[in-house]
Amino acid sequence: MSGFEQFHIDFYQSNYTIEDQEEGCNSDVWVFLQSQAEGQPAGRAFVPADMLLSPQSYSGQILQPAYSPDAPSQLGYVDGFDEEPPLLEELGINFEHIWQKTLTVLNPMKPADGSIMNETDLTGPMVFCLALGATLLMAGKVHFGYVYGMSAIGCLAMHALLNLMSTSGVSHGCVASVLGYCLLPMVILSSAAVVFSLQGTPGTVLALFIIGWCSLSASKIFTSALAMEGQQLLIAYPCALLYGLFALLTVF
């Protein structure tokens, strides 16, 4: 048994004594009584001093950090969203200019604004091409491929012709925009073909009138945008040939 008692003493040997426990307990009780005498909360007396926050160390709220003027601004990107242009403007869609171009096409006698007509705007042309194909479809003619094919070939031919006739030159987008906007009277003709047949004298006269309307509007816009005064009739002739193809699709 003496060997077991010696092992027991060696195994539980420690520097901690009951006197140290009593001394620590007495010190905690003393701190608690002192805090009660000074009017402080009881729970705060047992918190170490280095873990207590000073009243001026944090003035913010939960999930709302306090603002410090010395700290670098990390929210500068918020102002960038306010300064960004609208999405439609970034895409090049301006409804005011689209409306002005449409009114210019509908009124061939109205002078065209060269600065607006020289823009590369394909929103209106795409809408008018779809409208022409849709009205032809309502008349029982599936000609979407012919509409887009003749539009592409006509834009390339007019681009080459205008670059030969003008000194400043013109872009493919400008040619496609002008020819597409001037397709609006042809949409009116195809809409009429849904109501009644154009294969007759009234239909032929209406088709010739629409061809002249489209070619006059396109030549007017090209002369104002490219500063080609005195050459409107020369530009109107190839435009009439192009819109004559669309009229043939609509009538027959």
Side-chain angles (χ1 to χ4, degrees):
M1 294 297 293
S2 61
F4 178 78
E5 291 177 358
Q6 183 65 28
F7 173 76
H8 180 74
I9 294 174
D10 294 338
F11 183 81
Y12 289 101
Q13 186 176 1
S14 174
N15 295 327
Y16 183 78
T17 59
I18 299 178
E19 288 79 6
D20 295 337
Q21 182 178 6
E22 292 177 354
E23 182 180 355
C25 181
N26 293 333
S27 62
D28 292 341
V29 173
W30 171 253
V31 172
F32 172 74
L33 294 176
Q34 186 178 3
S35 64
Q36 290 292 328
E38 295 178 358
Q40 296 180 355
R44 191 176 179 182
F46 296 97
V47 180
D50 54 351
M51 296 180 62
L52 295 176
L53 296 176
S54 60
Q56 297 180 356
S57 62
Y58 181 77
S59 59
Q61 299 178 359
I62 299 177
L63 300 180
Q64 295 182 1
Y67 173 75
S68 178
D70 299 332
S73 177
Q74 298 179 357
L75 301 176
Y77 63 90
V78 177
D79 298 335
F81 289 108
D82 297 334
E83 298 175 358
E84 288 186 358
L87 179 60
L88 293 179
E89 185 177 348
E90 291 184 353
L91 296 176
I93 301 175
N94 192 329
F95 290 105
E96 183 179 357
H97 290 182
I98 293 174
W99 179 246
Q100 292 181 6
K101 292 179 181 180
T102 304
L103 292 179
T104 303
V105 173
L106 292 176
N107 186 8
M109 302 304 171
K110 178 184 177 181
D113 189 356
S115 60
I116 296 179
M117 296 302 169
N118 202 16
E119 295 179 353
T120 304
D121 176 25
L122 299 179
T123 305
M126 292 297 295
V127 172
F128 294 151
C129 285
L130 289 174
L132 179 60
T135 51
L136 289 176
L137 183 62
M138 293 174 63
K141 303 172 183 178
V142 185
H143 292 329
F144 284 99
Y146 290 105
V147 170
Y148 288 112
M150 289 192 303
S151 299
I153 296 174
C155 290
L156 294 176
M158 286 299 299
H159 176 264
L161 181 62
L162 291 174
N163 280 329
L164 293 175
M165 296 176 63
S166 64
T167 57
S168 58
V170 64
S171 62
H172 290 88
C174 179
V175 175
S177 177
V178 174
L179 293 178
Y181 272 103
C182 294
L183 200 64
L184 177 59
M186 198 61 60
V187 177
I188 299 175
L189 181 64
S190 62
S191 300
V194 178
V195 181
F196 56 89
S197 177
L198 299 177
Q199 296 182 6
T201 303
T204 304
V205 173
L206 181 60
L208 292 175
F209 174 74
I210 293 297
I211 292 172
W213 187 357
C214 295
S215 59
L216 182 61
S217 298
S219 60
K220 176 192 65 175
I221 295 174
F222 279 130
T223 53
S224 62
L226 303 177
M228 300 172 62
E229 290 79 6
Q231 304 181 28
Q232 184 173 357
L233 293 178
L234 296 176
I235 301 174
Y237 176 70
C239 291
L241 295 178
L242 174 61
Y243 291 114
L245 296 177
F246 290 105
L248 290 176
L249 283 179
T250 305
V251 174
F252 300 103

